[in-house]
Amino acid sequence: MKFTKMQGLGNDYVYVNCLEETVEHPAETAVKVSDRHFGIGADGLILIKPSEKADFEMEMYNADGSRGEMCGNGIRCVAKYVYDYGLTDRTHISIETLGGIKYLDLTVEEGKVRQVKVDMGSPILEAEKIPIIGLGDRVLDAPIQADGMEYHITGVSMGNPHGVVFLEDVKNLKIEQVGPLFEHHGCFPNRINTEFVHVLDRQAVEMRVWERGSGETLACGTGACAVAVACVLNGLTEEEVTVKLLGGDLLIQWDRRQDRVYMTGPAKVVFDGVWPDA
């Protein structure tokens, strides 16, 4: 199986061109290739496939083999792959995901994609559609218990479920202890990605993320979008905000008039290779 390892702000995945390759057991393959000791090492596996509804389809699997609806950093890398590897010559493309069709604008320098702006669509705020149960119809700064502590959470779906928790300090957060408590909490029937956020000012926040099925990652694009939406809903920032992640910065804008979220950030190739055990 030929593959390309790519990363967006350190959120790394193994990418396979399924216009040429066939992956028979993608969930099992995702677990094997993601292993950072015995595999390639990644946050998951992303298959680039043909689509009847869009220019391409992105099929995403987390490191534990579970299927993911959408990945913001991943979709930017898909855009870079299809352009840099000659699958398209267009700089405005559409990509089908389980979280809907996304539209992307590619910034090209010297024949390579350097940056991608993604129309991430409209945020979903209805609790039953995220899904979140037991915290009301809309989850806005709602109290929630985890390990005997009370936190406040705001629920947003960007095609996949997110819970945003605002804290005074995220640098010293013991996320490996707290993250799983949210991921497997009874209020989240499909599990949840949890963003722990400290607001720096009206234009910038810093966040760490615990992704369901992968643990802490260096960045989460959909999570950054959810954070921007939650910040605006809670009156903490402007509609355009720089989200500072462990792997770097993303610029997120929630255009409330259009009710569209836009994410702008980089995508990079790490290396190409061949996996012998697909």
Side-chain angles (χ1 to χ4, degrees), residues 34 45 49 94 130 149 164 196 205 250 265:
S34 297
L45 172 70
K49 308 178 80 171
S94 58
I130 294 175
M149 298 281 291
V164 181
F196 300 94
V205 302
L250 288 173

Side-chain angles (χ1 to χ4, degrees), residues 124-133 136-138:
I124 298 169
L125 304 176
E126 296 86 351
E128 66 176 358
K129 294 181 180 179
I130 294 175
I132 299 175
I133 58 176
D137 295 334
R138 277 200 177 191

Side-chain angles (χ1 to χ4, degrees), residues 26-219:
E28 295 176 15
T29 301
V31 173
K32 291 179 180 179
V33 301
S34 297
D35 190 297
R36 297 190 183 275
H37 298 287
F38 298 100
I40 298 165
D43 291 325
L45 172 70
I46 291 179
L47 309 181
I48 303 170
K49 308 178 80 171
S51 170
E52 296 181 357
K53 302 177 181 178
D55 295 318
F56 301 94
E57 180 185 358
M58 178 179 87
E59 188 175 305
M60 173 204 166
Y61 294 85
N62 296 309
D64 67 351
S66 59
R67 182 82 182 269
E69 296 95 339
M70 175 51 190
C71 174
N73 293 311
I75 202 169
R76 294 199 314 276
C77 288
V78 170
K80 178 174 176 61
Y81 184 99
V82 297
Y83 187 92
D84 287 9
Y85 287 77
L87 302 184
T88 184
D89 59 0
R90 298 169 56 199
T91 57
H92 180 76
I93 63 172
S94 58
I95 298 177
E96 178 187 356
T97 76
L98 277 184
I101 295 176
K102 309 301 179 185
Y103 299 91
L104 302 89
D105 290 304
L106 287 55
T107 299
V108 177
E109 297 176 5
E110 298 179 351
K112 302 290 184 181
V113 171
R114 300 302 179 194
Q115 186 168 267
V116 181
K117 181 177 180 179
V118 187
D119 179 349
M120 299 289 284
S122 301
I124 298 169
L125 304 176
E126 296 86 351
E128 66 176 358
K129 294 181 180 179
I130 294 175
I132 299 175
I133 58 176
L135 297 179
D137 295 334
R138 277 200 177 191
V139 182
L140 180 62
D141 196 35
I144 186 172
Q145 298 290 324
D147 196 30
M149 298 281 291
E150 181 175 281
Y151 298 86
H152 286 255
I153 193 167
T154 297
V156 180
S157 172
M158 291 304 307
N160 55 354
H162 293 274
V164 181
V165 178
F166 293 101
L167 300 173
E168 287 300 316
D169 177 20
V170 295
K171 288 186 172 68
N172 297 307
L173 176 69
K174 295 181 179 179
I175 196 170
E176 67 280 356
Q177 297 177 18
V178 178
L181 300 178
F182 282 89
E183 179 180 356
H184 300 287
H185 197 286
C187 289
F188 313 121
N190 293 345
R191 299 187 292 169
I192 202 159
N193 304 289
T194 311
E195 287 74 38
F196 300 94
V197 182
H198 172 58
V199 178
L200 299 172
D201 54 42
R202 297 287 300 179
Q203 285 79 37
V205 302
E206 58 182 358
M207 71 169 253
R208 292 173 67 186
V209 58
W210 184 269
E211 294 197 54
R212 57 177 182 169
S214 293
E216 183 174 25
T217 60
L218 295 178

